[in-house]
Amino acid sequence: CGHPLRGAGLPAAPVRLPSPFRQGHRQPRAFLLRPTAGTFLGGYDGKADLHVGITNSNGVVYNYNEEGIHRAETGWEQCISIPLVQPDTFELLQQWDELLEEFSVGEAWLPHRYEEHDHNCYTYALAFINSVLTTQGKQQMSKSEFTEKFVIPQTKKASKYITLHQELIANDFYIVPLLRDQEKQC
């Protein structure tokens, strides 16, 4: 609730901390980030590879890997979500799915073009974001600019949450996941 936990003691329990992780398939028109294998709270050590994708208006996650473009309806249940479209941009809201599909069938995203370090899932997601910015007459963003402005603030929150989660588990605290109705309130 925005108050420090230090010195709160047992009378302050139970404590509810909002999770930085979202059900990605419920995040329309968003940039999603998750571990390539496993989940953030299921053993992620901060060193393993991450995977990114972009959701359409229905929460289908478009993502790129060595097998090409995927349209995933599952698998992104615990991820970091960065909304990409402001609610007042009606025209973009209406065109989003068409733009994403057209972009994704381009030759640049064929499986044989995948390269782990230079032409990967992040390249795909950022290239799509930049294509949308271009259609809006806005300046494109570099990888470092997008990462610093949007990704790092969210990953810092996630890192703190993961660390706290790991400490609580290691010290025999009981963690109760929120039910769907409770998640909506957070």
Side-chain angles (χ1 to χ4, degrees), residues 3-163:
H3 299 289
L5 295 175
R6 191 178 312 265
L10 194 55
V15 175
R16 177 190 276 182
L17 298 175
S19 173
F21 307 115
R22 299 286 172 262
Q23 195 336 336
H25 301 288
R26 290 193 205 128
Q27 308 296 312
R29 303 171 198 92
F31 175 93
L32 302 181
L33 177 73
R34 69 167 172 85
T36 301
T39 63
F40 282 112
L41 298 178
Y44 181 71
D45 63 2
K47 298 174 188 165
D49 287 341
L50 296 172
H51 190 51
V52 302
I54 304 280
T55 55
N56 71 7
S57 63
N58 297 312
V60 174
V61 184
Y62 283 62
N63 59 98
Y64 178 64
N65 66 14
E66 61 277 350
E67 297 170 358
I69 294 293
H70 298 272
R71 292 157 187 84
E73 295 186 23
T74 61
W76 295 76
E77 288 76 22
Q78 186 187 95
C79 57
I80 294 171
S81 174
I82 301 166
L84 295 173
V85 181
Q86 298 294 322
D88 62 348
T89 54
F90 182 76
E91 188 174 320
L92 182 55
L93 291 171
Q94 297 303 309
Q95 295 176 336
W96 186 264
D97 291 355
E98 184 179 322
L99 292 171
L100 183 56
E101 185 61 36
E102 284 178 15
F103 179 82
S104 298
V105 297
E107 286 192 29
W109 314 115
L110 293 172
H112 71 277
R113 295 191 187 262
Y114 182 86
E115 204 289 312
E116 187 175 354
H117 298 289
D118 296 320
H119 195 76
N120 54 33
C121 60
Y122 202 99
T123 309
Y124 163 76
L126 185 59
F128 174 70
I129 291 166
N130 280 328
S131 75
V132 171
L133 289 172
T134 299
T135 63
Q136 294 181 306
K138 296 180 181 176
Q139 186 175 343
Q140 293 190 356
M141 298 179 82
S142 68
K143 182 177 181 179
S144 61
E145 182 183 7
F146 182 79
T147 302
E148 288 175 32
K149 189 173 182 180
F150 296 103
V151 177
I152 289 176
Q154 297 301 320
T155 55
K156 280 184 179 180
K157 289 178 192 174
S159 177
K160 289 177 185 178
Y161 191 89
I162 291 168
T163 301

Side-chain angles (χ1 to χ4, degrees), residues 41 162-175:
L41 298 178
I162 291 168
T163 301
L164 179 60
H165 187 267
Q166 290 169 344
E167 282 296 314
L168 291 172
I169 288 173
N171 290 295
D172 296 325
F173 282 86
Y174 186 67
I175 301 171

